[in-house]
Amino acid sequence: MHESRAHRRPSLRRRLLLLLLLPMLLLLLIDAVVTYGVALNYSNEVHDADLADDVRTLAQMFRSGKVSGDLPAEARFLIEYDPDSHNYYSVRSSRRGLLSGNGTFPEPPAPAPDAAPELFYSRLSGRTLRAASLSLRAPDDPGDVLTVTIAETLHDRQQRAREILLLAVPMQTILILGALSLMWLGINRGLRILQPLTDRLAAREHELEPITGEDVPVEILPLTRTIDGLFERLRAMLSLQERFIADAAHQLRTPLAGLRLHVDRARAAHDAATVHDALDHIDQLTQRTARTSTQLLALTRAQSPWTERSSHVPVDLARQIPQAVGQRVPEAIRAHIDLGYHGPAGPVWVLGDAPALQELLDNLIDNALRYAGRGARATVTLLPLPDGGVLLQVEDTGPGVSAEALERLGERFFRAPDAPAGGTGLGLAIVQQIAHRHGAQVAFGNAPEGGLRISVQFPAPAKS
C-alpha cells in the first residue's frame, strides 16, 4: 500500500492544478496586502476629515466667546473619549502660553490665523499621533493668536483597516476557490480532446502509420511527432528484417538444395572417387553458404537505421588501410595477384565508424582479388583532396566490366554476366550502403589499363 503511494504515477491534472494554485495563493497574499493598504488609506482619510471637523468645532467655541481659557469638563470628555484609543488636545496662546491641554507633544509652527486646519504626525510617550491644528485670533485680544490642536492615536484607524481586510479576504478566498474549481472542471473537459487520439490508437492492431492528424492539439504535437518518428524507425527496422529474411531465403535456397543433392549422391555412391567429389562440392557449397550469410548480415548492418552519423569518430585511413592490405597479401599471393598500396606518409583523417570502414575496404579488396584474375595487379590508393576530403580508390588490371554492367554495379545480388562463379552479388552493395552512411560518394569506372576502378570520395569533416 505504501509502495503504491510512493510510486504513484504523475498526473497532468494535479500538476496543472498545483501550477495554478501556487500563483493563486501568491495573488491572494498580494491582494491582502494591497487591500489592507487601500483600507488603511481610506480609514486615514475618514479620520483626518473627522479630526479636522473636531478642531474646527473647538476653534468655533473660542471664536464665539463661549470658552475663554480652560475647557469645560464636558468639552474635554467629548474630545478625550475613545473606547479603543486616546485623544489629546492643547490650546496655546501666542502671549500667555499653554491655556489648556491634556498632553504635551511636539507641534509644528502655528498655521496662519483663520487658515484651513493643518494635519501632521507627532509622537507622545513612544506612540505616533495624528494631529490637526488651527489658529484664530483671540476674541478678547485681537493681538493674541490662539492655536487649537487635537491629536489621536492610530489604533482606531488601523482597527478599521483590519476590519475591512477581514471582510474582504474571505470573499476573495471564496472567489479564488471558485476559480480553481472552474479551472479543474476546465482542465478535465480540455483533456477530453485527447480522447479521439486515444481511441484511434486503441483501434489499431499492427499499424505503424503516423498518428499526427488534424485533431491533435498543438500542445502535444511534439509528442505525437516524436511517436511518428519512432514508428518510422520501427517500420524501417521491420522492413529491413523482412528484406533480410527474403534475401536469406532466396540466396540460401540454391546452395542448401545443392548440399542435399550431393549428400544423397555421396550416400548412394559405391566408389571413393564419387564420394570424394561429392564432399568437395559440399565443401564449396558450405563455404558459399557461409559467405552468403556473412554478406547478408554485413549488408543488414550497413542498412541499419540505428547507426547515427553523430556517433562517428576520427579515423586515420592512412594507418587502417595499409594494415588491411597487408592482411590480404597472403590471399593475393595464392590468387597470383599483385596487391599494392599507395598513400601519404602522414595521417589522413575522416569521421566515421572504424569497423564499418574496415568492412567497406575488405569488400573492395575482395572484389578485386575475386574478379581481377591470375597475373593481374590490384592497387589501393589513398589521396587527400584540396577541399579537405579524401579519395579512396581500388583499381585492378583485370578484364573490367562492360558499360551496361557498370550502371548496375552496387545493386543487391547483381553480378556481371561474365563474372566467375562464387560471388554473392552483395559486396559492392555493402560498399554503397557503408559509403552512404558516411556521406561518401561511390563511382564505378574502367581503369586506363582496362580493369575496374572503384572510387569512394569522403567529404571534408564538418567544422564545429
Side-chain angles (χ1 to χ4, degrees):
M1 183 69 178
H2 296 290
E3 184 178 356
S4 62
R5 289 182 179 178
H7 294 83
R8 185 171 57 177
R9 290 182 178 274
S11 169
L12 183 58
R13 290 182 177 88
R14 288 197 303 268
R15 185 174 179 84
L16 289 175
L17 189 62
L18 286 175
L19 290 175
L20 293 171
L21 179 61
L22 294 178
M24 285 291 186
L25 293 177
L26 180 61
L27 182 63
L28 178 61
L29 179 61
I30 294 174
D31 184 69
V33 173
V34 172
T35 299
Y36 180 76
V38 172
L40 184 59
N41 183 67
Y42 175 75
S43 177
N44 284 332
E45 290 181 356
V46 173
H47 280 75
D48 283 351
D50 292 342
L51 198 61
D53 289 341
D54 290 344
V55 79
R56 287 192 188 96
T57 302
L58 184 58
Q60 185 62 31
M61 295 175 62
F62 283 95
R63 191 176 285 116
S64 62
K66 296 180 179 180
V67 178
S68 58
D70 194 9
L71 290 179
E74 297 82 358
R76 286 199 307 271
F77 176 78
L78 291 175
I79 293 174
E80 296 175 358
Y81 174 76
D82 191 329
D84 299 320
S85 61
H86 194 75
N87 293 342
Y88 303 90
Y89 77 96
S90 68
V91 180
R92 292 180 178 275
S93 168
S94 59
R95 291 183 176 179
R96 291 171 288 172
L98 179 65
L99 300 180
S100 180
N102 62 350
T104 57
F105 46 86
E107 298 185 10
D114 300 325
E118 182 175 342
L119 296 166
F120 60 95
Y121 285 100
S122 184
R123 293 188 65 81
L124 177 65
S125 301
R127 292 186 294 179
T128 302
L129 304 177
R130 182 66 169 170
S133 182
L134 188 146
S135 296
L136 69 154
R137 298 189 182 279
D140 54 351
D141 185 0
D144 190 9
V145 176
L146 300 179
T147 301
V148 181
T149 303
I150 298 179
E152 63 181 10
T153 61
L154 303 181
H155 178 271
D156 191 50
R157 299 165 180 254
Q158 296 170 348
Q159 181 65 27
R160 299 290 86 77
R162 286 193 291 269
E163 290 175 357
I164 295 174
L165 178 63
L166 292 177
L167 289 175
V169 167
M171 292 187 294
Q172 293 165 352
T173 303
I174 292 173
L175 287 175
I176 288 179
L177 292 177
L180 288 175
S181 300
L182 293 176
M183 290 177 186
W184 177 258
L185 295 175
I187 290 172
N188 287 335
R189 182 171 294 274
L191 290 177
R192 292 179 187 174
I193 197 173
L194 301 178
Q195 192 61 42
L197 177 61
T198 304
D199 295 339
R200 192 164 66 248
L201 289 175
R204 293 188 176 187
E205 294 184 358
H206 306 292
E207 300 177 13
L208 291 176
E209 297 301 319
I211 63 174
T212 302
E214 296 296 331
D215 59 344
V216 175
V218 175
E219 290 75 12
I220 66 168
L221 272 179
L223 174 62
T224 58
R225 286 171 178 167
T226 302
I227 295 175
D228 289 344
L230 174 62
F231 283 173
E232 183 178 357
R233 293 191 293 272
L234 287 176
R235 288 197 304 272
M237 184 182 68
L238 293 175
S239 176
L240 187 64
Q241 182 182 13
E242 293 172 357
R243 185 184 301 174
F244 173 79
I245 294 172
D247 291 344
H250 178 269
Q251 293 298 311
L252 297 179
R253 182 171 59 247
T254 300
L256 289 176
L259 285 172
R260 182 66 181 176
L261 175 64
H262 289 290
V263 168
D264 293 340
R265 180 185 168 206
R267 285 176 176 174
H270 298 289
D271 59 295
T274 303
V275 172
H276 187 272
D277 182 68
L279 290 176
D280 284 342
H281 282 86
I282 290 174
D283 182 59
Q284 294 174 10
L285 289 171
T286 302
Q287 292 181 15
R288 178 183 173 186
T289 302
R291 176 170 173 76
T292 301
S293 301
T294 303
Q295 292 289 77
L296 284 171
L297 291 172
L299 180 62
T300 302
R301 287 195 301 268
Q303 293 174 332
S304 173
W306 302 106
T307 303
E308 299 290 341
R309 292 181 61 184
S310 59
S311 63
H312 290 176
V313 297
V315 178
D316 183 8
L317 292 182
R319 180 180 180 182
Q320 184 176 19
I321 293 178
Q323 292 176 354
V325 172
Q327 293 172 359
R328 304 299 292 270
V329 168
E331 183 181 349
I333 294 174
R334 288 194 299 269
H336 301 280
I337 295 175
D338 182 11
L339 178 62
Y341 166 75
H342 291 294
V348 177
W349 299 97
V350 296
L351 285 178
D353 178 8
L357 292 174
Q358 181 69 39
E359 185 79 31
L360 177 144
L361 185 59
D362 285 342
N363 278 278
L364 288 175
I365 297 176
D366 185 76
N367 184 79
L369 298 181
R370 186 175 295 275
Y371 300 114
R374 295 173 64 90
R377 294 193 310 273
T379 305
V380 180
T381 303
L382 182 64
L383 179 65
L385 300 177
D387 63 355
V390 177
L391 179 63
L392 170 64
Q393 283 187 342
V394 178
E395 182 179 320
D396 62 65
T397 60
V401 180
S402 65
E404 294 77 9
L406 277 176
E407 297 179 357
R408 298 192 60 189
L409 288 181
E411 294 182 9
R412 294 163 55 247
F413 306 115
F414 173 76
R415 300 178 71 248
D418 54 351
T424 62
L426 294 175
L428 296 183
I430 294 172
V431 170
Q432 286 272 40
Q433 291 297 328
I434 295 176
H436 176 72
R437 276 172 45 190
H438 289 77
Q441 299 294 326
V442 180
F444 302 101
N446 286 316
E449 298 186 23
L452 178 65
R453 174 190 287 170
I454 304 176
S455 303
V456 182
Q457 183 172 336
F458 294 90
K463 295 181 179 179
S464 58

